[in-house]
Amino acid sequence: MTPSIELQTILMIGSVLSGIIIVNLIRKYQLELKYTMLWLILILVTIIVSIFPQVFVFISKIMGIQVPSNAVFLFVSFGCFALIFSLTLTVSKLTVKTKELTQEIGLLKLRLHQFEEANYREAQYKDQHYN
Amino acid sequence: MRILVVIPAFNEGKNLGPLVQSIRNLDVKNVDVVVINDCSTDDTREVCAAYGITVVNLPCNLGIGGAVQTGYKYAYENGYDIAIQIDGDGQHRPEYIAELVKPIIDGQADMVIGSRFINYEGFKSTLLRRIGIKYFSILIKLLTKKTITDPTSGFRACNKKVIALFAKRYPVDYPEPESIVCLLRNGFSVLEIPVIMQERQSGKSSITSLKSIYYMVKVSLAVLIDRLRKQMI
């Protein structure tokens, strides 16, 4: 059993379109290439699969899955999990960085405040003693 | 002409002292040094304080691109005419700074790159890395028709216009090849001069073998996508 040529075409057009959209957003500096690598890999895999759908017939045979479409669903959910996980990882890193930055700014503000205070006192002292 | 030497450093405490000393001993006038401490876990901060080096201690690790760009922003804000990038690991010899700066002072180029592969002298990295460098060189040649023999070299000097551009936009990781393509696209002239590099004095390189494949693919994509860009910066 192989999928219809219509389905193959839809898959193909869909993945190529999303590829173009992603590349265009990187081009306009709206997406960071580092975080779109996984998307691009998934798109590439989708394009390959839409050209050679027999891949999934083969995979389902190896894995003992009776209907190839179930293997497709399995891999799609794997792909989604991978994407979500990479997002979690990125968010975690960002959280740590934001925390460090906030602390740094807080400490800087304190130092600035102390500096200003000392300056002010010095000026007052000079006022009282030299005028 | 005010010159700024930008040294991005991640755990280079052992190398920084001697490096800055040899830059200070150079026979070039008006040279300032700024170290960008990319959240090192070693004694980089203390070493800089001990040697009296101007140092920007970043509160979190940005990677090489973000660190170097901090240096360019510093150069831009303080009105430097020339910025020189030099690795903190002792690979690059400060003696070449005068030669690196000369074409910029003479107005021959907007950016000058110190290349290991013009005269093929000194330490030229491992075979695999040389193949990678050659690959980027060919890719840039195909896309821009310009021969850059050492596109990954981090030993570079640039003028005020390029400082302004880099202060605004600079690639994040493994930035050298992409930034060259970006400069060429915007009509800047890039020149290479022969230099001799040394093996790193101590510490580890930031690029490991497993990561290098990822970088090859990523940088290729970045360079290709940059070709699709038309607007300035």
Side-chain angles (χ1 to χ4, degrees):
Chain A
M1 193 186 86
T2 47
S4 63
I5 191 81
E6 289 91 336
L7 183 61
Q8 270 177 270
T9 338
I10 290 170
L11 253 180
M12 184 81 172
I13 293 171
S15 39
V16 168
L17 257 180
S18 33
I20 290 172
I21 290 169
I22 286 179
V23 168
N24 197 36
L25 284 173
I26 302 172
R27 198 179 66 85
K28 288 197 235 157
Y29 292 109
Q30 286 175 12
L31 273 181
E32 191 62 52
L33 180 61
K34 191 177 173 184
Y35 302 108
T36 37
M37 288 294 278
L38 196 55
W39 284 102
L40 291 175
I41 291 167
L42 285 179
I43 286 169
L44 192 71
V45 172
T46 320
I47 291 174
I48 293 168
V49 167
S50 64
I51 300 170
F52 308 105
Q54 299 84 355
V55 173
F56 269 106
V57 180
F58 179 69
I59 289 173
S60 57
K61 255 185 203 156
I62 294 177
M63 294 181 71
I65 299 168
Q66 288 188 326
V67 194
S69 64
N70 283 347
V72 176
F73 286 130
L74 185 69
F75 276 89
V76 166
S77 48
F78 275 168
C80 287
F81 282 139
L83 276 171
I84 295 167
F85 186 72
S86 79
L87 282 177
T88 314
L89 207 69
T90 313
V91 170
S92 308
K93 277 186 200 159
L94 283 177
T95 314
V96 174
K97 284 194 175 174
T98 323
K99 187 201 73 184
E100 306 270 317
L101 272 178
T102 316
Q103 292 167 336
E104 185 87 7
I105 290 176
L107 290 170
L108 264 178
K109 273 166 96 177
L110 174 67
R111 278 182 74 175
L112 187 69
H113 181 71
Q114 288 169 337
F115 184 71
E116 280 175 344
E117 200 117 282
N119 256 2
Y120 178 69
R121 268 200 224 110
E122 201 180 333
Q124 257 187 343
Y125 181 83
K126 274 184 188 163
D127 264 5
Q128 283 167 5
H129 292 261
Y130 299 109
N131 289 338
Chain B
M1 283 278 178
R2 291 172 68 226
I3 301 169
L4 179 73
V5 178
V6 177
I7 309 174
F10 179 67
N11 294 344
E12 305 283 7
K14 287 196 185 70
N15 302 321
L16 275 177
L19 177 67
V20 173
Q21 276 305 338
S22 54
I23 293 173
R24 282 176 178 161
N25 291 337
L26 283 178
D27 199 22
V28 188
K29 273 182 193 156
N30 291 325
V31 178
D32 294 328
V33 175
V34 66
V35 168
I36 312 297
N37 176 13
D38 195 8
C39 208
S40 297
T41 49
D42 70 347
D43 57 346
T44 300
R45 180 191 284 254
E46 289 76 20
V47 167
C48 289
Y51 280 85
I53 305 166
T54 312
V55 58
V56 179
N57 291 303
L58 297 176
C60 33
N61 186 274
L62 291 183
I64 178 76
V68 169
Q69 194 185 26
T70 313
Y72 283 118
K73 285 195 166 156
Y74 179 88
Y76 181 69
E77 280 181 6
N78 294 289
Y80 282 95
D81 299 296
I82 295 172
I84 299 164
Q85 218 183 300
I86 182 164
D87 280 0
D89 59 9
Q91 264 196 79
H92 305 146
R93 291 200 202 156
E95 301 97 274
Y96 289 104
I97 284 178
E99 287 172 48
L100 213 59
V101 164
K102 199 175 172 295
I104 293 179
I105 294 174
D106 296 345
Q108 289 174 347
D110 295 304
M111 177 189 253
V112 181
I113 303 171
S115 168
R116 285 160 280 186
F117 302 110
I118 295 178
N119 287 349
Y120 279 93
E121 280 178 282
F123 176 68
K124 287 175 293 292
S125 196
T126 58
L127 177 70
L128 267 175
R129 217 166 276 182
R130 279 211 302 278
I131 293 172
I133 291 166
K134 188 78 198 162
Y135 162 76
F136 285 131
S137 181
I138 292 169
L139 190 68
I140 290 174
K141 174 89 181 169
L142 283 175
L143 292 173
T144 65
K145 297 183 181 66
K146 169 105 186 149
T147 310
I148 305 288
T149 56
D150 201 351
T152 62
S153 166
F155 194 20
R156 327 193 284 181
C158 60
N159 67 8
K160 219 166 182 168
K161 281 187 288 176
V162 177
I163 292 174
L165 190 151
F166 281 168
K168 200 170 175 189
R169 234 185 257 291
Y170 198 71
V172 181
D173 36 27
Y174 213 46
E176 284 84 10
E178 197 186 335
S179 61
I180 293 170
V181 175
C182 175
L183 282 186
L184 291 172
R185 169 168 58 86
N186 285 307
F188 291 101
S189 57
V190 178
L191 189 80
E192 282 188 306
I193 61 154
V195 297
I196 296 173
M197 288 191 195
Q198 280 162 319
E199 210 159 345
R200 50 187 301 115
Q201 315 269 289
S202 77
K204 267 189 208 154
S205 165
S206 56
I207 300 154
T208 56
S209 57
L210 199 80
K211 267 188 189 163
S212 57
I213 298 165
Y214 165 76
Y215 275 134
M216 291 284 280
V217 176
K218 207 205 132 202
V219 173
S220 306
L221 270 173
V223 167
L224 282 169
I225 290 171
D226 192 84
R227 279 313 282 173
L228 299 172
R229 292 181 178 133
K230 283 188 187 78
Q231 84 274 33
M232 270 290 279
I233 307 165

